[in-house]
């Protein structure tokens, strides 16, 4: 096995800027596992000497898996295993200085303390694959680690501003922020370089996407060929140097594309499917189609029934609450299988939806251009090819004409209401008049839809949040964020790029990273690739939309390696039923723990929470009316489990 590709476990360290002996070295560092390194002005602990370099000029700490490592080594005048990871970063810094991060692709975090200039530099990869946390006290110290609780200066003081953000659903694609759940502990921003010089901390975004480089492409097939080439290259880079690759396999287009491409390159792989054993979530037919196509070593499991136990375990590993919409009963079940299979890297389909794109913006393009015949045609294609059961539970059995009529009314009503909310009265009447002859849509349809919306809101009133009055009134300063990523990016690209890079995906990536650290394997995400994303942003919406099914780029690029069952599916499985079931299990398991005096109810209004719980346990209310209730209530319980783990840890 290539030892440079093995998981790098936790590192932690402390640089002192103040008087000798301040702050006192915490006991936790004395007890840390791994190799201990002492140097003038500080000390650190790391699992391997390969990731650390200490010489008269530089201190370097790294955790890297570069996708362009051979290119970097070649540019630096070396090859093979001539440099350790830390030596490679040191040489790169000597060559490119503060422009080092622009040269690197892949997964990395590194810290460089330049003794000559007395400058500290920290860099994190573009997608936050690797984690880095720090506690900086100007004139005193800089503590750092790749796990929060391993910080030498760590304490459990909670940052309640972060807790509020966690409990209140975010409607927009917010960028990642440096705030963590702990006071004084910050997270390095993805795609940013942090510098401390003469006591001043600055952050610089080093990644500038440039989709315009593909403006010269004129043929659709050229986009498809490039997408295939970049996707193949990304999967290859993610598996390069590993002995036993595996892949999550849900049966969806993303995970199936990754698994089939990995097999296309490297032969045998292991695949992992977690099945909740519910009719609405059953992907078995698609999973089997892929498994038979690539002849993988296949493992199947069930989510752990102990939902509370899984969340408590995650809290101990992740140092914060569950961040996925569904509890990590799925991820632990898969990780157990991965450990059993002996895989050293596991590929995911996270998040192909956003990167590839569905082409739904095509409808908006036609509407803004007032191209009503094309809009009508696209709406009808969309209705014909997509599974829109959220509009009607019997969608898949409806005649084509009825599907087209129902979706046209839904789309047009949504767009007209948006114009009303934006107070664009002229555009509203102009659009409504134009749509009447094209799609037989009338003002009466609009008014009826408004009545339906009002009735639904009165029947199923959903609170905007579950915070107590006092907690909701507390607000704090805005944290540093990665918003600079979007500076100067054309509007045509910005929405999709925000969707790809927003904080929820970074949070999810960090969570998987910590689970992998615990089990001893690495998660890799081929869709998160710089080249692939730039290209996908540039691909016209019409190419992505295809004949209405959406995501046509990847369908056409991989049509020779995907099984037809997956290639032609137009639906995406909803896990709403499992989400509801897991919440109900968690609620019953936590009921004896979260009594009236529990700290959770200082933050969450228990009366509001109990009303939401009534809705979630009411079998007469349709499942599609419960999604927002589930989001609010599950987040509250996820937080409660973490608070309980914090209390248990404090007692120990």
């Amino acid at each position: 096995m290539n030892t440079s590709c093995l998981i790098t476990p936790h590192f932690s360290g402390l640089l002192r800027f103040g008087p000798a002996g301040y702050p006192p070295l915490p006991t936790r560092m004395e007890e840390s596992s791994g190799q201990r390194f002492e140097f003038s002005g500080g000390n650190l602990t790391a699992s391997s000497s390969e990731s650390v370099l200490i010489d008269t000029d530089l201190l370097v700490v790294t955790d890297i898996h570069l996708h362009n490592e051979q290119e970097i080594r070649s540019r630096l005048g070396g090859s093979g295993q001539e440099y350790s990871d830390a030596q490679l970063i040191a040489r790169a810094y000597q060559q490119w200085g503060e422009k080092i991060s622009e040269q690197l692709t892949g997964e990395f975090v590194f810290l460089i303390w330049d003794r000559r200039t007395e400058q500290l530099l920290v860099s994190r990869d573009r997608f936050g694959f690797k984690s880095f946390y720090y506690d900086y006290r100007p004139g005193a110290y800089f503590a750092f680690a790749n796990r929060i609780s391993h910080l030498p200066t760590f304490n459990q003081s909670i940052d309640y501003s972060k807790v509020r953000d966690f409990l209140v659903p975010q409607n927009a694609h917010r960028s990642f922020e440096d705030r963590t759940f702990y006071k004084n502990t910050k997270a390095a921003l993805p795609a940013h370089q942090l510098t401390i010089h003469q006591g001043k901390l600055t952050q610089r975004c080093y990644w500038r996407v440039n989709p315009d480089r593909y403006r010269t492409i004129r043929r659709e097939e050229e986009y498809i060929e490039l997408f295939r080439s970049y996707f193949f290259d990304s999967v290859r880079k993610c598996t390069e140097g590993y002995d036993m690759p595996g892949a999550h396999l849900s049966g969806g287009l993303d995970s199936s594309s990754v698994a089939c491409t990995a097999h296309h390159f490297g032969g045998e792989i292991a695949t992992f499917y977690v099945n909740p054993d519910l009719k609405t979530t059953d992907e078995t037919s698609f999973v089997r189609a892929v498994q038979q196509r690539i002849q993988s070593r296949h493992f199947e499991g069930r989510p752990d029934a102990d939902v509370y136990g899984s969340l408590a375990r995650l809290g101990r590993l992740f140092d914060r609450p569950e961040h996925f919409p569904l509890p990590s009963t799925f991820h632990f079940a898969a990780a157990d299988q991965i450990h059993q299979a002996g895989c050293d890297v596991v590929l995911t389909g996270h998040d192909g939806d956003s990167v590839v794109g569905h082409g739904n913006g095509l409808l908006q393009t036609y509407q803004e251009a007032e191209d009503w015949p094309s809009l009508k045609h696209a709406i009808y294609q969309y209705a014909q090819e997509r599974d829109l059961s959220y509009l009607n539970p019997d969608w898949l059995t409806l005649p084509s004409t009825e599907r087209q009529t129902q979706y046209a009314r839904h789309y047009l009503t949504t767009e007209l209401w948006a114009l009303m909310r934006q107070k664009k009265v002229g555009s509203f009447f102009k659009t409504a008049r134009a749509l009447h002859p094209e799609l037989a849509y009338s003002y009466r349809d609009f008014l009826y839809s408004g009545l339906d919306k009002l009735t639904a809101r009165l029947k199923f009133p959903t609170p905007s949040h579950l915070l107590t009055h006092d907690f909701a009134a507390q607000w704090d300063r805005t944290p540093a964020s990665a918003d600079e990523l979007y500076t100067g990016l054309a509007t045509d690209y910005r929405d999709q790029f925000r969707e790809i890079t927003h904080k929820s995906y970074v949070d999810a990536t960090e969570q998987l990273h910590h689970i992998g650290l615990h089990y001893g394997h690495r998660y890799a995400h081929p869709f998160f690739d710089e080249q692939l994303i730039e290209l996908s942003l540039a691909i016209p919406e019409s190419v992505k939309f295809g004949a209405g099914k959406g995501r046509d780029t990847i369908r056409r690029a991989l049509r020779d390696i995907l099984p037809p069952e997956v290639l032609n599916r137009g639906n995406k499985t909803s896990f709403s039923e499992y989400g509801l079931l897991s919440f109900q299990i968690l609620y019953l398991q936590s009921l004896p723990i979260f009594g009236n005096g529990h700290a959770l109810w200082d933050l969450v209004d228990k009366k509001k929470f109990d009303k939401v719980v009534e809705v979630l346990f009411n079998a007469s209310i349709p499942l599609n009316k419960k999604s927002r209730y589930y989001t609010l209530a599950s987040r509250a319980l996820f937080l409660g489990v973490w608070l309980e783990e914090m209390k248990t840890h404090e007692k120990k």
Side-chain angles (χ1 to χ4, degrees), residues 429-576:
F429 284 111
K430 184 177 184 180
T431 302
R433 283 196 300 269
L435 293 173
H436 178 65
E438 286 291 343
L439 289 156
Y441 187 83
S442 67
Y443 291 119
R444 184 179 63 180
D445 292 324
F446 180 73
L447 293 173
Y448 280 161
S449 74
L451 183 61
D452 289 342
K453 283 178 179 288
L454 180 61
T455 303
R457 287 184 179 180
L458 292 173
K459 191 174 181 181
F460 304 109
T462 311
S464 59
H465 60 75
L466 299 182
L467 306 182
T468 63
H469 179 269
D470 290 344
F471 190 43
Q474 299 174 29
W475 295 106
D476 202 355
R477 64 180 180 82
T478 303
S481 75
D483 275 347
E484 196 185 338
L485 263 174
Y486 316 111
T487 302
L489 190 62
T491 307
D492 291 349
Y493 311 130
R494 192 180 302 139
D495 288 347
Q496 186 183 354
F497 191 49
R498 274 193 174 276
E499 188 178 353
I500 293 167
T501 55
H502 75 94
K503 68 184 296 294
S504 294
Y505 289 147
V506 180
D507 289 335
T509 301
E510 284 189 343
Q511 183 168 317
L512 282 178
H513 176 65
H514 280 71
I515 292 173
L517 283 173
H518 174 71
Y519 277 89
H521 60 260
R522 183 177 72 88
Y523 288 101
H525 315 284
F527 283 103
F528 286 155
D529 176 84
E530 297 91 322
Q531 281 191 123
L532 191 66
I533 286 171
E534 271 195 342
L535 173 65
S536 292
L537 293 175
I539 293 175
E541 291 292 286
S542 59
V543 177
K544 299 171 186 175
F545 189 79
K549 205 182 297 289
R551 314 197 66 206
D552 214 44
T553 313
I554 196 167
R555 296 180 197 274
R556 291 167 65 180
L558 304 184
R559 58 189 159 203
D560 60 324
I561 66 171
L562 282 170
E565 297 90 333
V566 174
L567 186 67
N568 297 317
R569 67 179 297 188
N571 66 320
K572 189 175 179 69
T573 295
S574 168
F575 281 83
S576 298

Side-chain angles (χ1 to χ4, degrees), residues 597-617:
H598 196 275
L600 176 62
W601 309 123
D602 294 334
L603 312 173
V604 174
D605 187 316
K606 194 169 188 307
K607 288 183 179 179
K608 290 182 184 178
F609 177 82
D610 288 341
K611 287 181 180 178
V612 168
V613 169
E614 285 180 20
V615 173
L616 292 172
F617 274 87

